[in-house]
Amino acid sequence: MNISSSKTVGSIDAIFNPKTVALVGATEQPGSVGRTILWNLISNPFGATIYAVNPKRRNVLGIKAYPSVGEIPEPVDLAILVTPAPSIPGIVDECVAAGVKGAIIISAGFKEIGENGVKLEADVMAAARKGRLRIIGPNCLGVMNPIRGMNATFATTIAQPGSVGFISQSGALCTSILDWSESANVGFSSFVSIGSMLDIDWGDLIYYLGDDPNTKSIVIYMESIGNARSFLSAAREVALSKPIIVIKAGQTEAAAQAAASHTGSLAGSDGVLSAAFRRSGVSRVFSIENLFHMAEVLEKQPRPKGPRLAILTNAGGPGVLATDAVIGDGGELAEISEETIARLNEVLPAAWSHNNPIDILGDAAPERYAKALEIAAQDPNSDGMLVVLTPQAMTDPTRTAEELAKVKMATGKPLLASWMGGEGVEAGRDVLNRHDIPSFDYPDAAAKVFNLMWRYNYNLRGLYETPVLPPDEAGVAGREKAAQIIAAQRAAGHTTLPEYESKNILAAYGIPIVPTKVATTKEEAVALAEEMGYPAVIKLYSNTVTHKTDVGGVQLNLKSAKSVESAYDAILASVTERAGAEHFEGVVVQPMVQIEGYEIIIGSSIDPQFGPVLLFGSGGQLVEVFKDSALGLPPLNTTLARRMMEQTKIYTALKGVRGRKPVNLRELEALLVRFSKLVVEQPWIKEIDINPLLASSEGLVALDARVLLHSNETDEADLPKPAIRPYPREYSGNWSSKKGETLHIRAIRPEDEPLMVAFHKTLSSDTVYYRYMGLISLDQRVSHDRLTRLCFIDYDRQIALVATRKNPESGETEVIAVGRLVKDHRQAEGEFALVVSDHFQGHGVGSELLQRLVDIGKNEGLDRITGTVLAENRAMLHVCQKLGFVLHREPGEPIQVVRDLTKG
């Protein structure tokens, strides 16, 4: 969902909870889609009136038929279209004219058939946009609401009611999942075949299911991402409260294999997709089985705080299998503490394993299982428990399950089970499932699901862990300097920037570079080397050659004027031979860096779906060989930067190994943040590499850099945009209060969480009551979980402005007021909220913030802004009236204030 769009949309609730349904294309023809859907609608009563539309019949299956939707005698909420594709635009036109709110287009024959189908889709959307009609499809199976009993599909059965919201792009997979869910006893709150996403997309449905109280988790089978920003915006918000699990079919074609930069050759689209999922708190799985396992365990079990699994078993072999699975898939085997071993010695036979896996031996009775689990789960070194049972002569699978159920809550950690065997353990599995303990046929499968669980929680925590705000070493001057360098190169017709200009762009953003100067003659090269000091390095200066080493364009460790002269001649000769003399434009000269450190690559390239993508990893000449790298989406904060670094093998080395001092990781985080700002703020950059960035305990320095620009033929409006909307600097500015004090007003940042804690301490009980229409304690208002939702916002979904000032006594920045505009994802309107610190009320800051929110609403394409104000909050009501809001009063209710933005 993109609030910069001016598209007016309607609610999609009419599709899932219709009171009236019209089937256009209803027929009695045996085996037809039209007959199957009509039969499903009438044979599963769900409280709606069903109408058949068929101009050639008076009734269908005993239901009166109407020639068109417009002739149905009452308003229609949902129209289901199963007629041939060429007829659909005209029928959609009729639906809009009749005020239909939602449509499901089952028909195929659209963009999947080529150019004619693409035109048909455009015609359908043009008709739909004449009103507020929302569309699922085309080319889909349909929609089920199992809670109500609605089956608006041509599947043979309706899904069982439950708590999983399922969305699929594959209709064929939907029918397979339906068959499987019967035997697996999986129930659904909604079951949606989304088709080709002409209108309603992933973001719309994620928001809808996020609001649905019957949905506890969202499961997605995805073939294409569609509107990436819509998906990420919705997923980042909803994943906080409900797990979103995705299986993505196949690996998309690598986006940039022919790219000139190292980053472009390393960043394939499937890797970018995984990075996007991590960034939005989505769990990606690679099998249908794990798709629903994850939905089950995340609903039933607490989330593991880390990757350490403790395994309790009555047989050694299955414990080893689980160990191999958890370690081989990136998890860890928990180290059992001495205290825990001592406690286990008191309740277990002397021959138990005395290690993890905790083998409690084959004659383990249910009580031994329960006592061992209770002790092991209290060990602080473990993050989760897996209990394995193999049926042996003295084993009681059912009573063991009952005993585990009694101690489940005492663990406080995720508890998984593997009851291995057939009919003999089935009753035990039923006991486990009834007590929300997920059971797996084999322990290795359970271990892999545990790994998925802790990775999911790790990624989710990373999104809402308070970052540190690094100093803005670029500022406005740096941005402008980089833009000037880029503009000059574009004016000269260059798309490949030489090293000198590339490094100066980095320097403008506060990224340390090796002193570098250009020499166009041998004599200049010698003079610069003498000035900088020996040993020196000279490299090819060229606007056309991408990788200097490929043409012999690098000479290192030059210790005299003579060696510089020889190196200059060698580069000229090599470039002339391998590429042509026209590619030699001189050399750059820099001092030889003689510091022992690690070579890192930091880069960015363009993904066709997600726009700019960042890369971090092991650098140097063999970067494509080792492929030790991680991908991420800009913009970054320090927490997200560290998460990228932690995904690589070189990160372990950077912390210090084999006697080497560690690299300053906070400094490296800050550098990555500044680099991501560069990528976001300089949209003409197509690809950029720092390779290598030398990282050592003495500091960081970019030894080489390369920048590629989009061609001048590219329209500025068509330049790729980040999939995640960056920080809106355009809403920042200074303002003078009525008291003459200069305040800075800007959008809120995740780093503002500590400032918001201090701000809430300045609010009186009256101010809190007026803002929240009730008293909320300070502890509740400043809890991390609450403030993450207020500070870690998606700027596509909402804008929160803070008014800040420098405290004249302490010199510290403090927040004195907050104004927030939250977009309703169902329609083009937003709701505002406003609170001002008591000491600054009456200074005019509230009026200024509200006026800015009104201006933002207009800029973002909203039709109106609303708010709710208590009748006794006269000061706020006065501000609203002054700014053109209309007051709507109902006796005994808070006052609704509305500003229509379409009237200026």
Side-chain angles (χ1 to χ4, degrees), residues 55 81 119 122 144 209 241 308 335 358 370 463 503 534 537 619 659 675-676 711 762 767 785 794 797 811 838 842 866:
L81 282 53
K119 184 181 182 305
M144 294 182 191
L209 295 175
S241 55
R308 303 168 301 176
E335 184 176 340
I358 302 169
L463 295 181
K503 282 184 175 175
Y534 294 107
V537 174
F675 182 81
S676 79
S711 71
T762 71
T767 297
D785 286 346
D794 186 308
R797 177 82 165 90
D838 286 62
T866 66

Side-chain angles (χ1 to χ4, degrees), residues 780-796:
Q780 289 175 298
R781 300 199 312 272
V782 301
S783 70
H784 174 68
D785 286 346
R786 180 177 179 277
L787 288 182
T788 54
R789 293 179 177 271
L790 301 178
C791 299
F792 295 66
I793 64 175
D794 186 308
Y795 299 114
D796 248 8

Side-chain angles (χ1 to χ4, degrees), residues 791-813:
C791 299
F792 295 66
I793 64 175
D794 186 308
Y795 299 114
D796 248 8
R797 177 82 165 90
Q798 60 176 298
I799 298 290
L801 299 179
V802 290
T804 66
R805 72 160 194 162
K806 289 283 187 183
N807 186 302
E809 296 178 2
S810 67
E812 298 292 324
T813 298

Side-chain angles (χ1 to χ4, degrees), residues 25-64:
T27 177
E28 291 187 358
Q29 182 180 344
S32 67
V33 172
R35 187 187 194 282
T36 303
I37 293 177
L38 184 59
W39 179 253
N40 284 342
L41 289 170
I42 62 177
S43 62
N44 296 281
F46 58 100
T49 304
I50 309 301
Y51 292 98
V53 176
N54 186 326
K56 297 180 180 180
R57 296 185 62 94
R58 297 181 63 183
N59 64 77
V60 181
L61 296 180
I63 296 175
K64 183 180 178 180

Side-chain angles (χ1 to χ4, degrees), residues 268-347:
S269 281
D270 196 64
V272 177
L273 187 69
S274 291
F277 288 157
R278 286 193 298 270
R279 181 64 184 272
S280 54
V282 168
S283 175
R284 184 181 188 183
V285 300
F286 293 90
S287 71
I288 295 293
E289 185 179 36
N290 281 343
L291 192 66
F292 290 96
H293 278 156
M294 279 294 285
E296 178 187 15
V297 298
L298 291 175
E299 178 186 342
K300 293 179 178 179
Q301 292 290 311
R303 297 167 186 172
K305 295 179 180 178
R308 303 168 301 176
L309 180 65
I311 302 166
L312 185 69
T313 178
N314 69 342
V320 173
L321 285 175
T323 299
D324 286 345
V326 73
I327 294 176
D329 198 35
E332 298 176 15
L333 201 62
E335 184 176 340
I336 306 299
S337 70
E338 294 296 327
E339 180 183 354
T340 298
I341 290 175
R343 293 183 63 196
L344 289 171
N345 283 338
E346 296 174 3
V347 299

